[in-house]
Amino acid sequence: MSNTRRLELQGFRGLAALSTVVFHVWQQYYVYDAQGSHPPLDNPYLGALISLEVIDLFFVMSAYLLTLSYARAAIDGDDRTRPRRDFLFRRAARILPLYVLAVLLVWSLRNPSLPGDWRDLLEHLTFTHVFDQQRIFYTLGPTWSLSLEIAFYLTLIAVGPLAIRVCRRLRTRRARVLLCASGCAALYLAPVAWIAVAHHALEVPYTNWPVYFGPQARLGGFAAGMALAVLLVALGERGRVGARTATALAVTAAVGLYALSYHSAPENTWHTYYHPLAALLWFALLYATLHVRTTARPRWHGLLRSGWLTGVGLVSYSLYIWHEPVMLALYDSGALPRSQAGFPLAVLFVVAAGVLVAAVSYWVVEYPGSLLVGLRDKKGRPREFYPEPDPVRMPVPEQQPKPEPAAR
């Protein structure tokens, strides 16, 4: 992937992270109702914009980036996939140092006397809190989504190598593409079926969080990202769209996302299937970003590559982890307004403080943790480090004559 495309995806991460912060400040001031609907605002149009959940964008982007190598290996035989252990090691180095530190710190502050809520700590450290109706949003509320990330990693290293092996037996490229696309479709439709049965047949309420927040209900976002990787590998350089087409597709997807948020209310179809539908619209928006002719980039791509936005995207994981504890600390200390009228000012305070804390967290914790990846070589084996020879104390090896070049 070109550096330009990486910057654009990083810009999306920045926008999504900022939107998430605003959304959670909104939740702090406008509480959910008993049916689990979005908090009300006097202006329903503004409410629809703020409540436009972007978690599915994170899922689609993550799945797209991690599935690319598997898609290339399965469809074109360009196998640069990493061994399972190396893949998991790299993901752990990316996620765990900051996550474990934040969980231990926040949990200890909220449980000053031992043993405290030890079950909450155990579930967060094992990424199983998403299955606990009571504790799913404890300690670090937004990190329920990391449980889904872990579930996706395990799914990918199970189905990815299997797809590669099966595709090697197929003679035509079209057949390989069809097999991969069919697998993505199955992974997308399975959560839709789960949601349909849970809501329509079993009448499970939306506030049963593990049922509708667990991987069995949210894997569709990752499946959409996998399908995007398969589609772009299958197309290659073909079908790249121009600036006008990309802009039209992006606007259509954005309007669709806004309409989905506006019309989403308890007990209606839009609310029930909000996340599978949102994943498809994010799929379309990312397609309009990634599969554009390099000679005709739309102007809005420039916004995604802007320095301030990609800077937020760089620290987006830290911002995602820390913004809720920062918000609650500011609120409890009285630094934030108490009335709903102070919501806009609270957003500014939390965004500013959150980005500052995230920047420090990135360079102090997240970036050093990412250096652990260098401990393994390209084949996933522990890298061996040898000291450079001392030219004074160690003899210089005898120079061997160079062989004559072979005749052409």
Side-chain angles (χ1 to χ4, degrees):
M1 184 187 302
S2 67
N3 289 334
T4 299
R5 294 292 177 262
R6 291 183 185 278
L7 285 176
E8 288 163 357
L9 291 182
Q10 193 160 295
F12 267 124
R13 287 194 188 95
L15 281 175
L18 292 174
S19 175
T20 301
V21 175
V22 175
F23 179 76
H24 287 141
V25 176
W26 179 44
Q27 285 185 320
Q28 180 69 14
Y29 282 82
Y30 297 85
V31 183
Y32 274 86
D33 65 21
Q35 293 181 307
S37 66
H38 288 148
L41 273 181
D42 293 336
N43 187 332
Y45 301 104
L46 179 60
L49 179 63
I50 297 177
S51 64
L52 199 161
E53 297 182 48
V54 295
I55 191 64
D56 298 293
L57 173 59
F58 283 117
F59 293 162
V60 175
M61 280 196 297
S62 176
Y64 163 73
L65 291 170
L66 295 176
T67 307
L68 267 178
S69 60
Y70 288 99
R72 288 167 180 156
I75 295 172
D76 294 326
D78 182 16
D79 194 350
R80 300 182 184 180
T81 58
R82 296 183 178 275
R84 289 184 175 92
R85 280 188 291 184
D86 184 51
F87 175 88
L88 293 176
F89 176 79
R90 287 171 170 269
R91 292 289 88 204
R94 174 72 179 91
I95 289 176
L96 290 184
L98 176 59
Y99 176 76
V100 172
L101 172 64
V103 167
L104 292 177
L105 177 61
V106 175
W107 185 89
S108 63
L109 290 175
R110 296 179 184 174
N111 294 267
S113 60
L114 296 178
D117 191 350
W118 61 268
R119 183 175 173 180
D120 172 53
L121 178 62
L122 178 62
E123 289 180 355
H124 273 78
L125 292 178
T126 56
F127 296 99
T128 55
H129 53 294
V130 73
F131 302 109
D132 188 329
Q133 170 70 10
Q134 179 183 353
R135 296 174 178 84
I136 183 173
F137 304 125
Y138 276 23
T139 303
L140 295 174
T143 60
W144 63 268
S145 63
L146 288 182
S147 300
L148 274 63
E149 284 277 347
I150 301 300
F152 168 67
Y153 299 159
L154 299 177
T155 301
L156 183 60
I157 63 174
V159 303
L162 177 62
I164 293 172
R165 288 197 296 270
V166 174
C167 283
R168 285 173 180 169
R169 301 177 183 178
L170 302 178
R171 295 183 178 181
T172 66
R173 192 173 187 270
R174 177 176 296 181
R176 295 192 291 270
V177 171
L178 182 60
L179 174 68
C180 294
S182 299
C184 294
L187 289 174
Y188 176 83
L189 292 175
V192 175
W194 170 276
I195 293 171
V197 171
H199 178 66
H200 300 293
L202 303 179
E203 298 183 349
V204 178
Y206 292 122
T207 50
N208 191 325
W209 311 122
V211 172
Y212 294 104
F213 278 62
Q216 74 283 350
R218 294 293 186 91
L219 192 62
F222 295 101
M226 297 171 72
L228 180 61
V230 169
L231 175 62
L232 296 190
V233 169
L235 290 175
E237 293 299 316
R238 297 171 299 171
R240 288 189 177 273
V241 297
R244 291 183 179 180
T245 303
T247 300
L249 181 58
V251 169
T252 301
V255 170
L257 287 163
Y258 179 82
L260 185 62
S261 178
Y262 182 83
H263 292 289
S264 179
E267 306 304 327
N268 70 14
T269 302
W270 303 115
H271 185 74
T272 303
Y273 299 100
Y274 180 99
H275 295 286
L277 292 172
L280 293 180
L281 293 168
W282 290 122
F283 172 102
L285 185 56
L286 289 176
Y287 178 87
T289 306
L290 296 167
H291 206 61
V292 180
R293 290 196 294 268
T294 56
T295 57
R297 293 195 185 101
R299 292 183 178 179
W300 55 274
H301 281 201
L303 171 63
L304 295 174
R305 296 191 299 271
S306 60
W308 69 272
L309 193 55
T310 56
V312 176
L314 180 66
V315 302
S316 59
Y317 178 51
S318 286
L319 181 58
Y320 193 74
I321 291 291
W322 291 117
H323 76 273
E324 185 192 58
V326 167
M327 175 187 70
L328 294 178
L330 291 174
Y331 189 84
D332 292 340
S333 67
L336 297 183
R338 294 289 178 173
S339 66
Q340 292 183 349
F343 166 67
L345 187 60
V347 168
L348 292 178
F349 284 169
V350 175
V351 167
V355 171
L356 177 61
V357 171
V360 174
S361 171
Y362 175 81
W363 291 111
V364 174
V365 181
E366 196 176 343
Y367 178 74
S370 67
L371 298 179
L372 294 173
V373 173
L375 297 178
R376 288 178 175 265
D377 61 19
K378 293 182 179 180
K379 294 184 179 180
R381 299 173 301 192
R383 189 184 299 276
E384 296 181 354
F385 294 92
Y386 297 97
E388 291 295 328
D390 189 333
V392 176
R393 297 182 181 179
M394 299 186 63
V396 178
E398 182 180 353
Q399 295 293 328
Q400 299 294 329
K402 296 181 179 179
E404 294 293 330
R408 295 184 178 178

